[in-house]
């Protein structure tokens, strides 16, 4: 029986080569798309799954009010929590960002991109496998350093690195451990130090937020109790204390300043996909992107399956007499169903194999697109692939098999099947579904394209095209501010340099600092702190709307004068905020100018209230300068940059490589992920149209070939070609219109939801819907009319000579 099934299957392939090829190609493309999405899904969900401690590790998040949830914590909360909670096993502070710097050994220098600093018990939270040393002693003291296997190999080659001395950040460290990271983790450093201990000691009595904090529980069910304890600690040590200092009752203090800080806990297994401020240095928060990719891939597979089912039911017409004969010969309904499911299984398996070939060939481009290293290996992936194959076989095979098995034996043997209405509604319904999915993708591509273009073309409120943002590394025992003053003086002499300045911020980066400010007795508000040199606003062409800019001509501008942006000015209950006195950082400051609003973080974020001040105003900040900005002339830009590079290596920092980026390019990275989504939508749109073309061409061919005798009779009776073309194509135009109308609503709702990610966004225009309809109708008419015209040229005698 199996041999008979295979022979029949091969026979029909030979007689339907083109349609079989189109069917297999369409199905394989749909399966390949889903494989790509699954590989990405598996990779993003694999983070921290290896960690044996994962179920008991939580990150501490703090809601400080006004929908501001910070991942940073005070140095006081961990020790206090440990002293009062029996549920807490241990805690670990860390800096949430990697540092890129040089580590040297015996004169050999290596630029290491992921240097991480945490407390000495870090490896009890992330127990990487140790090749040399062990987790308990790897960060034994303040001068210990642990290296990844890759970093150790770069620095020491085949030498045993243990107890070797390396230089980093102007200090000497002893290598006490070498670890290997075999699985994906929220923290994957190339080197780990405990430098943070210095800052923790310095701020041990301060309730200011600087550090990431992870907790390890004795029992994971303790989370609600820990949160309650943390909230009580904030209430007792901050709210009550500050209320007393101001001579207010607690209720009066809360009424004036808002609710106390509320903590929450983020489980480690959920951290990677958390949407919001990410607590760990490995980039996260891609849950929406993953869902979009998976959803669109499933839609494409559905389209492929619909295409397959449609063609299978249409092709069944040609096999009607075969089924009738088999039934006369004694075949049962179940056997016929089994035969067609078997044929579907063979087609699907071949499609899966072709899909794997497509994925393997395309994987390098896919990895480059996503900045990943995905591979077609893994037991989880193989299980998923088997399940997908079975699902496609069941969904694609059952409908055509049941449909065919229900043919009436006598009717099909008489040749009257062509006048039967069986299957017509099914094929038409699925054709409408194809048009709906295609409409969704075409509309989506237009709207995503317009939003990304809007972001690229929007006036951001600043101009950074000719401004270099240069990384400025600190040196031990040397004042950053004094070093900067020398750079400003010397670099200004280089030919092509128009201005030199500095700021405690960098456009498009996540570097930011916040504090509260208040006016008179009004409720305080949060402001983003923007320390800068006098020339910074002019360099970025940021306008002063009212008042004046900060200037060296006024000595008070380095001490008590500040600027506000428009958003911050709106928070003052004054028509004219100029010369008003604010209370900020325990000092009184005078507003001397209003700055035009500009986008700092990206267009998905609202413009924050900002306060601008001279870079030396805040104690301890003047030597936290990390960026030097140099504006260059567009003429001979490369020569100017080369001259700056030479000056930098000779006079500023010979150990750290000269690194820069243009401010506008740096900012453009903030919406790079949305450019990726635009490109992804465009690519999937092409795939959808391709599959729809396969299906429409094949279905139109089957449908019109079935009507060849009808066309021959019409031509004999004098029907003109244009009348025949209209008659043959009108049903497809109707299906196209119905499918488009069905696709409009989900497209509008889902794209409106996507646009909610952006504080600055387009309104959904009607043009993409018109363009989608016109392009879909044009595509339909092109395919259908081309096939219809071919059919109208039939030889009348050939089809009517036996009538």
């Amino acid at each position: 029986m199996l041999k008979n099934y295979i022979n029949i299957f091969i026979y029909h392939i030979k007689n339907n080569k083109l349609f079989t090829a189109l069917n297999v190609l369409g199905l394989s493309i749909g399966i390949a798309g889903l494989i790509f999405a699954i590989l990405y899904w598996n990779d993003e969900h694999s983070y921290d799954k290896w960690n044996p401690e994962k179920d008991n590790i939580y990150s501490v998040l703090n809601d400080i009010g006004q929908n501001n949830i910070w991942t940073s914590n005070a140095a006081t909360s961990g020790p206090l929590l440990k002293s009062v909670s029996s549920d807490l096993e241990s805690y670990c502070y860390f800096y949430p960002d990697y540092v890129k710097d040089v580590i040297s050994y015996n004169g050999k220098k290596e630029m290491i991109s992921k240097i991480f600093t945490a407390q000495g018990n870090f490896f009890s939270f992330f127990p990487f496998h140790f090749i040399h040393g062990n987790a308990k002693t790897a960060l034994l003291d303040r001068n210990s350093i642990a290296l990844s296997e890759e970093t150790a190999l770069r620095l020491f080659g085949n030498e045993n690195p243990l107890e070797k001395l390396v230089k980093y950040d102007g200090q000497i460290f002893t290598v006490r451990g070498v670890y290997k990271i075999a699985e994906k983790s929220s923290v994957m450093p190339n080197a780990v130090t405990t430098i943070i201990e210095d800052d923790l000691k310095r701020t041990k009595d301060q309730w200011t937020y600087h550090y990431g904090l992870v907790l390890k529980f004795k029992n994971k069910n303790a989370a609600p109790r820990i949160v309650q304890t943390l909230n009580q600690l904030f209430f007792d040590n901050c709210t009550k204390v500050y209320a007393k200092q101001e001579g207010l009752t607690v209720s009066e203090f809360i009424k004036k300043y808002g609710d106390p800080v509320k903590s929450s806990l983020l489980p480690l297994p959920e951290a990677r996909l958390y949407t919001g401020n990410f607590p760990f240095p490995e980039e996260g928060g891609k849950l929406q992107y993953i869902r979009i990719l998976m959803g669109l891939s499933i839609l494409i597979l559905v389209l492929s399956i619909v295409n397959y089912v449609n063609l299978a039911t249409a092709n069944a017409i040609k096999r009607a007499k075969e089924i009738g004969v088999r039934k006369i010969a004694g075949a049962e309904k179940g056997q016929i169903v089994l035969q067609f499911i078997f044929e579907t299984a063979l087609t699907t398996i071949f499609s899966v194999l072709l899909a794997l070939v497509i994925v393997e060939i395309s994987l390098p481009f896919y990895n480059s697109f996503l900045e990943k290293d995905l591979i077609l290996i893994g037991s989880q992936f193989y299980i998923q692939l088997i399940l997908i194959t079975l699902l496609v076989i069941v969904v694609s095979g059952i409908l055509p098999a049941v449909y065919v098995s229900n043919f009436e034996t006598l009717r099909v043997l008489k040749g009257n099947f062509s006048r039967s209405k069986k299957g017509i509604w099914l094929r038409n319904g699925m054709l409408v579904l194809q048009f709906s999915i295609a409409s969704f993708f075409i509309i989506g591509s237009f709207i995503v394209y317009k939003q990304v273009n809007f972001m690229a073309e929007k006036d951001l409120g600043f101009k950074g095209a000719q401004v270099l943002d240069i990384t400025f590394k600190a040196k031990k025992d040397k004042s950053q501010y004094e070093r900067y003053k020398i750079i400003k003086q010397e670099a200004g002499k280089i030919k092509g340099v128009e201005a030199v300045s500095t700021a405690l911020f960098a456009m498009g980066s996540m570097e930011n600092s916040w504090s509260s400010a208040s006016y008179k007795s009004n409720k305080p508000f949060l402001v983003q702190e923007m320390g800068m040199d006098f020339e910074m606003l002019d360099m970025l062409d940021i306008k002063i709307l009212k008042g004046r800019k900060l200037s060296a001509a006024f000595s008070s501008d380095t001490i008590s004068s500040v600027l506000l942006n428009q958003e911050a000015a709106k928070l003052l209950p004054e028509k004219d905020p100029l010369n008003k006195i604010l209370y900020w950082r325990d000092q009184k400051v005078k507003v001397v100018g209003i700055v035009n609003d500009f986008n700092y973080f990206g267009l998905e974020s609202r413009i924050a209230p900002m306060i601008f001040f001279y870079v030396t105003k805040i104690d301890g900040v003047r030597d936290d300068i990390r960026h030097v900005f140099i504006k260059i002339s567009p003429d001979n830009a490369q020569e100017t940059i080369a001259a700056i590079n030479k000056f930098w290596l000779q006079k500023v920092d010979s150990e750290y490589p000269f690194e820069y980026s243009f401010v506008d390019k740096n900012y453009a990275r903030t919406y790079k992920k949305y450019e990726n989504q635009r490109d992804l939508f465009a690519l999937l749109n092409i795939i959808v149209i391709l599959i729809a073309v396969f299906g429409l061409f094949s279905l139109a061919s089957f449908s019109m070939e079935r009507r060849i005798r009808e066309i021959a009779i019409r031509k004999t009776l004098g029907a003109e070609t244009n009348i025949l073309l209209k008659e043959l194509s009108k049903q497809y135009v109707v299906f196209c219109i119905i499918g488009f109308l069905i696709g409009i609503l989900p497209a509008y709702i889902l794209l409106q939801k996507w646009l909610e990610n952006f504080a600055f966004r387009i309104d959904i225009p009607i043009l993409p819907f018109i363009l989608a309809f016109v392009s879909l109708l044009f595509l339909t008419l092109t395919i259908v009319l081309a096939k219809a015209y071919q059919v109208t040229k039939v030889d009348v005698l050939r089809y009517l000579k036996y009538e």
Side-chain angles (χ1 to χ4, degrees):
M1 183 177 69
L2 185 61
K3 183 180 178 181
N4 184 41
Y5 286 173
I6 294 173
N7 288 334
I8 294 172
F9 178 67
I10 293 173
Y11 170 80
H12 285 292
I13 287 177
K14 288 180 179 178
N15 283 276
N16 297 280
K17 293 185 182 70
L18 176 61
F19 298 126
T20 301
L22 293 177
N23 226 344
V24 169
L25 186 57
L27 203 54
S28 62
I29 291 174
I31 294 171
L34 187 57
I35 289 174
F36 279 127
I38 285 173
L39 289 174
Y40 187 40
W41 176 282
N42 290 346
D43 184 77
E44 288 295 317
H45 282 80
S46 68
Y47 279 74
D48 302 308
K49 293 295 185 290
W50 61 273
N51 194 328
E53 305 287 347
K54 64 180 182 297
D55 293 330
N56 292 320
I57 297 176
Y58 294 78
S59 299
V60 180
L61 309 179
N62 297 300
D63 185 349
I64 64 168
Q66 301 177 27
N67 292 320
N68 288 289
I69 298 178
W70 289 2
T71 58
S72 55
N73 292 264
T76 48
S77 54
L80 280 175
L81 182 63
K82 177 66 174 173
S83 66
V84 299
S85 175
S86 59
D87 294 314
L88 183 65
E89 180 179 324
S90 59
Y91 63 88
C92 179
Y93 282 103
F94 60 91
Y95 275 124
D97 297 314
Y98 293 130
V99 172
K100 182 180 180 181
D101 209 337
V102 173
I103 298 180
S104 58
Y105 169 67
N106 281 351
K108 182 180 182 181
K109 300 176 182 178
E110 291 289 342
M111 176 61 72
I112 308 301
S113 58
K114 292 183 177 182
I115 302 174
F116 189 66
T117 181
Q119 289 189 287
N121 62 344
F122 167 75
F123 289 112
S124 68
F125 286 80
F126 293 89
F128 303 133
H129 172 67
F130 271 79
I131 301 170
H132 299 287
N134 60 73
K136 291 183 179 179
T137 60
L139 299 175
L140 185 63
D141 53 38
R142 165 64 178 73
N143 294 316
S144 297
I145 189 170
L147 305 176
S148 69
E149 182 183 28
E150 177 191 346
T151 304
L153 187 63
R154 288 171 60 186
L155 284 169
F156 303 103
N158 295 324
E159 288 185 62
N160 186 339
L162 285 186
E163 302 305 318
K164 294 287 195 303
L165 301 180
V166 297
K167 186 178 180 181
Y168 160 62
D169 197 31
Q171 305 170 64
I172 302 299
F173 292 86
T174 303
V175 179
R176 292 206 166 91
V178 176
Y179 56 87
K180 180 179 182 180
I181 304 176
E183 303 288 342
K184 299 292 179 68
S185 173
S186 291
V187 184
M188 294 192 289
N190 292 324
V192 184
T193 74
T194 59
I195 293 176
I196 194 174
E197 294 288 4
D198 296 341
D199 292 331
L200 289 171
K201 288 177 182 177
R202 180 174 54 82
T203 59
K204 63 183 178 67
D205 297 320
Q206 299 177 14
W207 285 88
T208 52
Y209 300 88
H210 297 293
Y211 317 101
L213 175 61
V214 285
L215 309 176
K216 188 190 296 184
F217 301 162
K218 297 175 182 177
N219 180 356
K220 64 180 180 181
N221 296 323
R225 295 193 296 273
I226 294 288
V227 169
Q228 187 177 5
T229 304
L230 277 170
N231 289 339
Q232 192 62 47
L233 288 174
F234 284 122
F235 185 77
D236 292 340
N237 293 276
C238 295
T239 306
K240 283 186 176 181
V241 172
Y242 296 154
K244 186 176 180 180
Q245 289 175 353
E246 292 201 20
L248 302 173
T249 65
V250 171
S251 58
E252 289 172 339
F253 184 84
I254 291 174
K255 184 177 180 180
K256 180 177 180 180
Y257 291 101
D259 293 331
V261 172
K262 297 293 183 183
S263 293
S264 59
L265 297 174
L266 179 64
L268 183 61
E270 299 176 14
R272 173 69 181 179
L273 300 175
Y274 172 72
T275 301
N277 293 330
F278 191 62
F280 296 110
E282 294 294 325
E283 184 184 0
K286 297 180 179 178
L287 183 58
Q288 187 193 55
Y289 188 49
I290 296 170
R291 286 174 174 170
I292 289 173
L293 182 59
M294 184 62 75
L296 297 181
S297 300
I298 290 172
L299 262 183
I300 290 176
L301 182 60
V302 168
L303 183 65
S304 300
I305 292 173
V306 166
N307 191 44
Y308 180 87
V309 171
N310 227 347
L311 292 179
T313 54
N315 192 36
I317 298 169
K318 292 185 175 182
R319 303 183 63 176
K321 288 187 177 181
E322 172 199 332
I323 302 305
V325 171
R326 290 199 63 194
K327 283 190 172 185
I328 291 293
E332 296 179 357
K333 184 176 180 178
Q335 291 176 313
I336 295 172
V337 170
L338 184 62
Q339 176 193 344
F340 275 82
I341 291 179
F342 174 76
E343 291 180 6
T344 300
L346 290 179
T347 304
T348 302
I349 290 170
F350 187 77
S351 298
V352 169
L353 294 175
L354 181 58
L356 290 172
V357 172
I358 293 171
V359 171
E360 186 64 34
I361 293 172
S362 308
L363 202 53
F365 304 100
Y366 187 66
N367 282 331
S368 176
F369 178 75
L370 293 175
E371 298 180 349
K372 289 282 187 181
D373 54 353
L374 308 176
I375 53 175
L376 282 171
I377 295 176
S379 56
Q380 182 186 18
F381 169 69
Y382 294 143
I383 292 170
Q384 290 167 333
L385 187 61
I386 291 170
L387 291 175
I388 290 170
T389 304
L390 293 174
L391 182 64
V392 172
I393 290 171
V394 170
V395 176
S396 302
I398 287 180
L399 274 177
V402 171
Y403 169 59
V404 169
S405 67
N406 284 326
F407 286 169
E408 297 176 19
T409 307
L410 293 177
R411 189 171 189 180
V412 297
L413 289 177
K414 288 179 180 179
N416 293 329
F417 184 82
S418 62
R419 290 189 290 273
S420 171
K421 297 300 181 182
K422 283 182 176 292
I424 298 284
W425 285 105
L426 175 64
R427 289 198 300 278
N428 291 347
M430 290 197 171
L431 186 59
V432 168
L433 179 59
Q434 281 185 315
F435 281 125
S436 298
I437 294 174
S439 299
F440 172 80
F441 274 90
I442 295 171
I443 293 168
S445 292
F446 277 119
I447 291 176
V448 171
Y449 176 82
K450 285 186 70 67
Q451 173 62 25
V452 174
N453 273 16
F454 167 78
M455 294 167 69
E457 296 169 2
K458 184 181 182 300
D459 181 9
L460 302 171
F462 70 89
K463 296 177 182 177
Q466 297 302 132
V467 180
L468 302 181
D469 177 354
I470 304 172
T471 302
F472 187 34
K473 292 293 298 179
K475 287 187 175 293
K476 292 292 180 182
D477 304 321
K478 290 187 178 181
S479 167
Q480 280 289 86
Y481 179 67
E482 295 302 324
R483 290 176 66 211
Y484 159 68
K485 286 201 299 184
I486 296 172
I487 292 170
K488 182 177 181 180
Q489 182 178 355
E490 295 297 322
K493 300 174 183 177
I494 297 174
K495 183 179 179 182
V497 171
E498 296 183 351
V500 181
S501 192
T502 190
L504 302 177
F505 56 85
M507 300 296 191
S509 76
M510 295 308 294
E511 293 181 25
N512 60 93
S513 176
W514 297 75
S515 62
S516 64
S518 59
Y519 176 67
K520 294 183 177 179
S521 60
N522 295 289
K523 186 175 181 179
F525 51 89
L526 283 175
V527 288
Q528 185 178 347
E529 298 177 330
M530 310 290 281
M532 62 179 187
D533 200 356
F534 295 121
E535 301 83 5
M536 196 64 209
L537 296 182
D538 286 340
M539 181 180 286
L540 294 174
D541 199 21
I542 297 173
K543 307 298 183 185
I544 301 294
L545 301 180
K546 289 183 179 179
R548 62 175 178 84
K549 63 182 181 180
L550 297 180
S551 171
F554 299 90
S555 59
S556 60
D557 283 6
T558 63
I559 302 171
S560 59
S561 297
V562 296
L563 307 176
L564 299 179
N565 71 341
Q566 291 170 278
E567 285 296 314
K570 291 176 185 176
L571 299 175
L572 273 63
E574 298 282 354
K575 290 184 179 180
D576 185 3
L578 288 181
N579 300 316
K580 299 299 186 291
I581 303 300
L582 299 181
Y583 190 71
W584 170 65
R585 279 187 169 264
D586 300 325
Q587 302 175 40
K588 291 182 179 180
V589 293
K590 184 178 180 181
V591 179
V592 297
I594 305 301
V595 177
N596 187 37
D597 283 342
F598 60 89
N599 293 90
Y600 179 80
F601 291 109
L603 294 176
E604 63 265 50
S605 303
R606 294 189 178 279
I607 296 174
M610 298 177 182
I611 186 168
F612 300 82
F613 56 94
Y614 188 64
V615 71
T616 62
K617 173 167 176 45
I618 302 176
D619 293 337
V621 169
R622 58 181 287 155
D623 289 327
D624 196 30
I625 298 172
R626 304 175 192 175
H627 302 269
V628 172
F629 298 90
I630 299 180
K631 187 170 185 177
I632 63 174
S633 169
D635 301 325
N636 302 316
Q638 291 304 317
E639 290 84 349
T640 304
I641 293 172
I644 296 171
N645 183 7
K646 182 179 178 180
F647 159 74
W648 198 269
L649 293 176
Q650 290 180 350
K651 301 290 183 67
V652 180
D653 197 334
S654 60
E655 294 185 0
Y656 191 87
F658 176 70
E659 287 191 337
Y660 74 92
S661 62
F662 285 99
V663 170
D664 59 335
K665 298 280 180 64
N666 192 39
Y667 184 87
R669 296 191 192 103
T670 62
Y671 53 87
K672 181 69 169 66
K673 61 181 178 180
Y674 296 109
E675 288 181 335
N676 288 344
Q677 289 185 26
R678 175 198 63 193
D679 296 341
L680 173 68
F681 224 124
L683 177 62
L684 295 181
N685 191 35
I686 293 171
I687 292 172
V688 165
I689 291 173
L690 196 62
I691 295 173
V693 166
F694 291 165
L696 188 59
F697 174 78
S698 303
L699 194 60
S701 299
F702 277 124
S703 176
M704 291 179 190
E705 284 175 8
R706 194 181 64 176
R707 300 178 64 181
I708 284 181
R709 286 187 180 179
E710 174 193 336
I711 293 167
I713 293 170
R714 283 174 175 260
K715 288 191 71 173
T716 302
L717 296 175
E720 296 181 1
T721 300
N722 62 336
I723 300 297
L724 290 175
L725 291 176
K726 180 180 178 182
E727 185 66 27
L728 290 169
S729 61
K730 68 179 182 182
Q731 64 170 329
Y732 292 97
V733 173
V734 172
F735 295 151
C736 175
I737 294 171
I738 294 172
F740 173 76
L741 293 175
I742 292 173
I744 286 177
L745 186 59
Y748 181 85
I749 293 173
L750 292 175
L751 288 163
Q752 187 69 40
K753 187 72 176 176
W754 181 76
L755 287 171
E756 288 175 4
N757 290 318
F758 307 95
F760 298 87
R761 58 181 181 264
I762 62 169
D763 294 322
I764 295 181
I766 194 171
L767 182 61
F769 295 89
I770 296 172
L771 290 174
F773 176 70
V774 170
S775 57
L776 196 62
L777 188 61
F778 174 78
L779 192 66
T780 302
L781 288 174
T782 301
I783 296 169
V784 173
L785 289 177
K787 187 62 184 177
Y789 184 78
Q790 181 185 354
V791 173
T792 59
K793 297 303 178 182
V794 297
D795 183 354
V796 175
L797 293 178
R798 178 184 173 189
Y799 290 95
L800 297 182
K801 62 183 177 181
Y802 297 115
E803 293 296 324

